[in-house]
Amino acid sequence: MHFLDELNERQREAVQHIDGPLMVIAGAGSGKTKVLTARIAYLIEQGVDPFHILALTFTNKAANEMKARIERMLGSTEARNLYIGTFHSVFARLLRADAHRLGYPSNFTIYDTDDSKNVLKKIIAELKLDDKHYRPGMVYNRISNAKNSLIGWEEYQQYPEFIQEDTRAGRPMIGKIFEWYAKRCFQNGAMDFDDLLYQMYVLLTRFPDALHKYQHKFQYILIDEYQDTNPAQYAIIKLLGAVHENICVVGDDAQSIYSFRGATIQNILQFEKDYEDVKVVKLEQNYRSTRSILSVANEVIAYNKRQLPKVLWTQNDEGEKIKLISLLSEHDEARFVADTIAEQKLRNHYANKDFAVLYRTNSQSRSFEEHLRRLNIPYKIYGGISFYQRKEIKDFLAYLRVIVNPKDEESLLRIINYPARGIGEQTLQKCLLVAREQGISLWEVLENIRKYDLRSAAVNQIEDFVVMIKNLQLLLSKENAYTVAVQAGKASGLVKELYNDQSVEGIARYENVQELLNAIKEFTETPDSEGELADKDLGSYLQQITLLTDADDEKEESDTVKLMTIHAAKGLEFPCVFVVGLEEGLFPNAMSINTRDELEEERRLFYVAVTRAKEKLWLTYAMNRYRFGNFVQNDPSRFISELPSDYVEKPLGRDYRTNHGSSFWQHQTQRKSPSSGNLSFSQHKPATAVHTPSPDFKPDDFRLMKEGMKVEHQKFGYGMILSIDGNASNPIATIRFELSGEKKIMLNYARLRIVRTDETDTQ
């Protein structure tokens, strides 16, 4: 077992623990993927049948990397018998075999987020609700959160707190929308992403024989990024592992940053309580970053109270100090970043791909794009439009989905008159009305179009369309995915339609469809893409690409600077990293600091950003920035005050910075860090100038505030409103604070308390 020789002592300890629950706390850059793959290989070497091993990840990219490493260790024969994949892909695979128990066809369609929102949009219209008030995206998130907490539409409608919340928000019909949506998906033979978890849980709890089968099939369970699991994933794993309890979870509570997706840090924090004899192994040696970068990360994350204690260390060089740069505006910030990249490429021979610019929100990318273009520096934005979300690709895939599952109403409506074949909107609405009245699918109406006497000139065209789809369906059992797709492109006229458009955009769309066909051909020619159950049929292909994550869809560019949100950067690493926009209200985000839990997640996000860097790290903030259409002054992020002074380089005089940026460093006062004796910087005032909010602090309505009023801010303390400018919906107040001096603040985000006259004598 030569692979054990490549592990350090702690890694080997985790790999060689076979039976019983195991929690591996894997700090950033500590080699967790190596540990997971080595542990699987070790289990097989010790005689565990690979058919009994289940490994769950959050991206197909991670799963494929693990599978490839195991193949190199043991050979492809053993590796292909493992169940390795994302939660959603593995559960989709299992549900295919048992879907009939739940009333779904085995070839059920999987709706992506856009499909789900389109279905909701139609339902909202059918219920005659205002889609500006019941926004499909908002409703989708509400339903998604419910299902990820294992709450179906029946339970949702019976929960008093959900009813009260929706009523208070002025959206009492969400429960009804949820019901219609669930029934519509069921009628369409479709599951959305959340259903793959929810229905898996239903299968295991409603059918004891199915639970027994999978509990004894998966005797060893390994879970990557356990801190990112939600309540549904947690509950399913508890059920599957209840018999053998050979559950190995690998994760880092300090990188738990996905609460907005339903993930809960509580899962990893309470793992030791869930299993009495759990073994805990901490991987604290970092192989990625310099000592300076790790020291900054350790110091800042130590401010969080809810965490599993650990301290990252490395044998790497100390490296350069972290550079903190203050800029006058967001454009100066972007210009500094672009100029620095150009300078570093020239001076230290870095390539473009060695740089990443990380920001809190997608909207920050614009100014960086502008300045990188001016210097002819190629870049790529992660999180842009996915290849599989392009219209021509969605159109082609809709044909393929209807061939596999003609009850898929969403796909059917998309392609029935594209390319145009004379089936108008009015005819479709009549068909839909019949379907709703009869309680049958739209496809059943189309199959029997003459039975319903619709008196439409499009009857012949509908019959031709149905015959075309049925002819293509005959190929499903005879031909692989590529052959069916090529025939679908020809028979539908879609490929010809795109080919005939010789505009620049048309040529690009045609080339995209050809690229899709290439991908399908590659799928059919790649052996064992799904282990021992490898299928090359169209249904298997559609499942695979529907379950691609954002990270899986990214193609490696030859040499480009990467621009991305910090959330998108998790799991990646770069020699040189810029963390930009470090300002209060932006990072930490103003909407995410109302509770300690929210603030601690923002700090974990900063920790993730810092630990992406291998060699060089720049932290930047702008003293002024356009926010919500107004040019506002900013305070440096509170995270800057938590940086250890020994590892941060004081800014030298640069044209980009204002005098304020220099004075930030000239007026620092030192205080003790919570984690060690190292010194760290406070912000502009001495450490004694810290405000403790009043015990009964409760923000007042900003519309009640007037010039001359005395107010209290939770951080800045007491102050006087000197002036109020701007429009009524977005007023900006100039306030002189006793502790912090004069500041401009957006009143509707400031959360100020009006100090009543009877309090002033006690202040």
Side-chain angles (χ1 to χ4, degrees):
M1 289 181 285
H2 61 89
F3 54 84
L4 291 178
D5 297 334
E6 301 173 2
L7 306 175
N8 64 38
E9 184 179 348
R10 294 280 81 78
Q11 290 173 334
R12 199 176 301 118
E13 183 182 358
V15 166
Q16 293 180 303
H17 177 80
I18 296 182
D19 295 319
L22 169 68
M23 179 166 67
V24 181
I25 307 301
S30 62
K32 69 178 178 63
T33 303
K34 178 189 287 189
V35 168
L36 275 169
T37 51
R39 177 175 167 78
I40 292 171
Y42 186 77
L43 289 173
I44 295 172
E45 291 279 284
Q46 295 301 304
V48 176
D49 190 331
F51 283 96
H52 293 320
I53 298 175
L54 170 65
L56 297 171
T57 68
F58 276 84
T59 67
N60 292 294
K61 183 178 179 181
N64 291 335
E65 182 181 348
M66 287 172 59
K67 201 179 299 184
R69 289 193 189 191
I70 294 168
E71 285 186 9
R72 290 195 294 270
M73 291 178 184
L74 302 178
S76 60
T77 303
E78 297 291 1
R80 72 174 60 129
N81 296 329
L82 295 161
Y83 270 76
I84 298 181
T86 65
F87 281 88
H88 293 85
S89 65
V90 169
F91 293 166
R93 183 173 162 187
L94 300 180
L95 284 168
R96 295 277 179 205
D98 289 291
H100 62 281
R101 296 173 182 259
L102 302 170
Y104 286 88
S106 61
N107 61 345
F108 61 83
T109 297
I110 301 173
Y111 281 165
D112 64 20
T113 304
D114 284 347
D115 296 326
S116 297
K117 290 178 181 178
N118 287 336
V119 173
L120 285 168
K121 188 174 183 179
K122 291 184 177 72
I123 290 171
I124 291 166
E126 290 172 27
L127 288 170
K128 295 180 171 55
L129 299 172
D130 182 359
D131 63 2
K132 291 185 176 60
H133 192 58
Y134 287 90
R135 297 189 309 278
M138 178 276 298
V139 176
Y140 172 79
N141 289 335
R142 185 79 169 159
I143 292 173
S144 175
N145 289 336
K147 285 196 282 193
N148 281 325
S149 298
L150 300 175
I151 297 168
W153 68 264
E154 299 98 334
E155 297 93 336
Y156 190 96
Q157 291 183 353
Q158 294 169 6
Y159 263 57
E161 69 176 278
F162 292 140
I163 296 170
Q164 291 171 6
E165 285 177 11
D166 291 342
T167 302
R168 279 198 302 268
R171 301 183 183 94
M173 292 294 287
I174 285 183
K176 178 60 68 174
I177 298 172
F178 191 175
E179 176 184 352
W180 281 36
Y181 174 71
K183 291 180 177 178
R184 186 70 51 82
C185 287
F186 183 78
Q187 186 182 60
N188 293 351
M191 295 188 194
D192 65 17
F193 287 158
D194 302 311
D195 283 325
L196 296 175
L197 303 180
Y198 179 76
Q199 296 297 346
M200 187 70 200
Y201 179 78
V202 171
L203 175 69
L204 297 178
T205 52
R206 192 176 294 172
F207 300 95
D209 58 327
L211 176 61
H212 181 271
K213 175 176 69 173
Y214 292 124
Q215 282 178 333
H216 287 81
K217 178 176 180 59
F218 301 127
Q219 297 175 14
Y220 290 85
I221 301 174
L222 301 91
I223 304 154
D224 190 16
E225 305 286 11
Y226 189 66
Q227 77 280 350
D228 293 336
T229 54
N230 61 34
Q233 291 161 329
Y234 170 82
I236 293 169
I237 294 304
K238 286 279 284 185
L239 286 169
L240 290 176
V243 172
H244 299 284
E245 290 197 347
N246 294 324
I247 299 177
C248 168
V249 301
V250 180
D252 181 5
D253 58 296
Q255 297 186 68
S256 178
I257 59 173
Y258 291 121
S259 65
F260 66 94
R261 293 182 185 171
T264 170
I265 192 175
Q266 192 60 31
N267 289 353
I268 193 168
L269 294 179
Q270 71 177 24
F271 189 79
E272 290 181 83
K273 298 177 183 176
D274 289 339
Y275 301 95
E276 293 181 1
D277 56 342
V278 62
K279 180 179 180 63
V280 178
V281 177
K282 295 181 181 180
L283 306 182
E284 298 174 297
Q285 183 175 358
N286 175 284
Y287 293 92
R288 176 188 299 159
S289 305
T290 64
R291 288 204 296 272
S292 292
I293 292 170
L294 283 190
S295 297
V296 168
N298 283 332
E299 288 288 328
V300 173
I301 200 63
Y303 280 81
N304 275 6
K305 292 187 176 181
R306 295 184 68 207
Q307 61 175 302
L308 300 169
K310 63 182 172 301
V311 178
L312 296 186
W313 61 276
T314 184
Q315 292 180 339
N316 294 341
D317 294 338
E318 182 166 321
E320 296 182 4
K321 289 186 176 183
I322 283 67
K323 296 174 178 61
L324 176 65
I325 311 295
S326 167
L327 292 313
L328 178 62
S329 69
E330 61 202 276
H331 293 290
D332 289 324
E333 180 182 52
R335 182 159 57 95
F336 167 77
V337 169
D339 286 352
T340 302
I341 291 173
E343 178 186 345
Q344 290 293 323
K345 285 169 59 181
L346 186 64
R347 179 178 296 177
N348 296 312
H349 307 292
Y350 284 112
N352 292 312
K353 64 183 179 181
D354 294 330
F355 297 91
V357 182
L358 309 183
Y359 35 75
R360 180 63 178 82
T361 63
N362 273 310
S363 60
Q364 293 170 252
S365 70
R366 182 183 55 82
S367 56
F368 295 102
E369 291 184 71
E370 290 177 4
H371 286 279
L372 289 171
R373 278 200 299 266
R374 289 176 187 174
L375 296 183
N376 293 317
I377 297 175
Y379 64 88
K380 176 178 174 58
I381 297 180
Y382 271 54
I385 184 169
S386 160
F387 176 79
Y388 292 100
Q389 295 301 321
R390 298 177 192 275
K391 180 186 180 302
E392 61 275 14
I393 301 302
K394 293 279 282 187
D395 290 337
F396 199 109
L397 291 176
Y399 270 102
L400 303 185
R401 285 163 61 162
V402 169
I403 294 167
V404 172
N405 174 22
K407 288 186 176 181
D408 179 358
E409 183 180 291
E410 188 62 27
S411 296
L412 192 53
L413 288 171
R414 186 179 187 102
I415 52 98
I416 191 169
N417 197 42
Y418 179 73
R421 50 177 60 92
I423 304 174
E425 185 64 27
Q426 191 173 358
T427 299
L428 285 176
Q429 289 305 316
K430 290 178 182 178
C431 293
L432 281 169
L433 183 60
V434 171
R436 302 288 183 261
E437 290 175 346
Q438 299 286 325
I440 58 178
S441 69
L442 175 61
W443 175 253
E444 291 173 272
V445 175
L446 299 178
E447 275 188 305
N448 303 282
I449 191 66
R450 293 192 184 273
K451 172 182 174 182
Y452 297 106
D453 190 26
L454 292 177
R455 298 178 184 176
S456 169
V459 168
N460 291 336
Q461 288 87 339
I462 290 174
E463 287 183 328
D464 290 344
F465 175 80
V466 170
V467 169
M468 177 188 70
I469 296 297
K470 287 187 173 182
N471 286 338
L472 290 167
Q473 286 180 313
L474 294 174
L475 299 175
L476 287 175
S477 59
K478 305 174 185 176
E479 305 289 350
N480 64 28
Y482 177 71
T483 302
V484 179
V486 169
Q487 292 302 314
K490 291 179 180 177
S492 66
L494 179 58
V495 173
K496 183 178 180 181
E497 174 92 359
L498 294 172
Y499 179 79
N500 289 338
D501 182 356
Q502 290 299 302
S503 67
V504 175
E505 295 81 3
I507 293 171
R509 285 192 286 267
Y510 175 77
E511 290 175 347
N512 285 337
V513 167
Q514 293 304 314
E515 179 62 26
L516 176 65
L517 289 170
N518 291 338
I520 298 174
K521 187 168 182 61
E522 182 181 357
F523 167 79
T524 62
E525 294 178 350
T526 302
D528 303 308
S529 64
E530 283 292 333
E532 95 276 12
L533 295 179
D535 286 319
K536 299 305 175 186
D537 61 74
L538 189 57
S540 298
Y541 173 76
L542 291 174
Q543 174 181 309
Q544 175 182 295
I545 60 102
T546 305
L547 293 173
L548 287 175
T549 65
D550 293 341
D552 301 321
D553 192 38
E554 296 293 353
K555 299 289 190 295
E556 183 61 37
E557 297 293 329
S558 56
D559 188 24
T560 57
V561 173
K562 303 302 186 292
L563 307 180
M564 66 185 80
T565 64
I566 301 166
H567 285 100
K570 187 168 174 289
L572 303 177
E573 59 183 44
F574 303 91
C576 304
V577 170
F578 296 85
V579 183
V580 300
L582 277 166
E583 300 134 34
E584 279 295 307
L586 185 57
F587 193 17
N589 191 279
M591 307 298 288
S592 303
I593 54 175
N594 296 317
T595 66
R596 177 176 293 280
D597 286 348
E598 290 176 344
L599 177 59
E600 292 200 349
E601 177 154 336
E602 288 290 298
R603 189 175 283 112
R604 292 194 294 271
L605 195 58
F606 181 62
Y607 174 86
V608 167
V610 168
T611 53
R612 297 313 92 197
K614 298 168 67 175
E615 301 169 13
K616 296 176 182 286
L617 175 64
W618 290 263
L619 308 176
T620 70
Y621 65 98
M623 301 311 301
N624 302 276
R625 185 183 297 272
Y626 273 99
R627 300 288 305 280
F628 311 105
N630 293 291
F631 197 60
V632 297
Q633 292 182 345
N634 304 307
D635 288 311
S637 168
R638 68 188 70 192
F639 302 146
I640 291 177
S641 72
E642 298 167 1
L643 299 174
S645 60
D646 292 346
Y647 299 99
V648 180
E649 183 178 293
K650 296 182 180 180
L652 301 175
R654 297 293 297 265
D655 293 336
Y656 303 100
R657 296 184 299 101
T658 63
N659 290 331
H660 187 96
S662 300
S663 64
F664 175 84
W665 287 93
Q666 293 166 1
H667 294 92
Q668 299 304 331
T669 52
Q670 294 176 325
R671 58 187 174 87
K672 292 286 183 180
S673 157
S675 64
S676 69
N678 289 341
L679 297 174
S680 66
F681 289 109
S682 72
Q683 290 193 9
H684 305 286
K685 293 291 174 179
T688 54
V690 176
H691 177 69
T692 302
S694 304
D696 59 344
F697 186 96
K698 184 179 179 182
D700 286 305
D701 189 333
F702 73 90
R703 289 168 293 191
L704 301 175
M705 296 176 187
K706 296 180 175 58
E707 294 179 5
M709 276 186 172
K710 189 170 184 180
V711 293
E712 180 186 10
H713 186 277
Q714 287 177 295
K715 175 185 173 185
F716 303 133
Y718 294 102
M720 178 78 72
I721 300 177
L722 302 180
S723 63
I724 299 178
D725 302 306
N727 56 50
S729 63
N730 191 24
I732 300 175
T734 301
I735 305 174
R736 182 183 294 118
F737 289 100
E738 296 171 0
L739 298 179
S740 309
E742 195 171 300
K743 295 183 180 296
K744 287 187 182 295
I745 291 183
M746 299 171 68
L747 283 182
N748 51 345
Y749 289 96
R751 295 176 57 80
L752 295 168
R753 183 181 77 88
I754 298 172
V755 178
R756 285 13 181 207
T757 52
D758 57 351
E759 295 181 57
T760 52
D761 292 338
T762 65
Q763 304 305 330

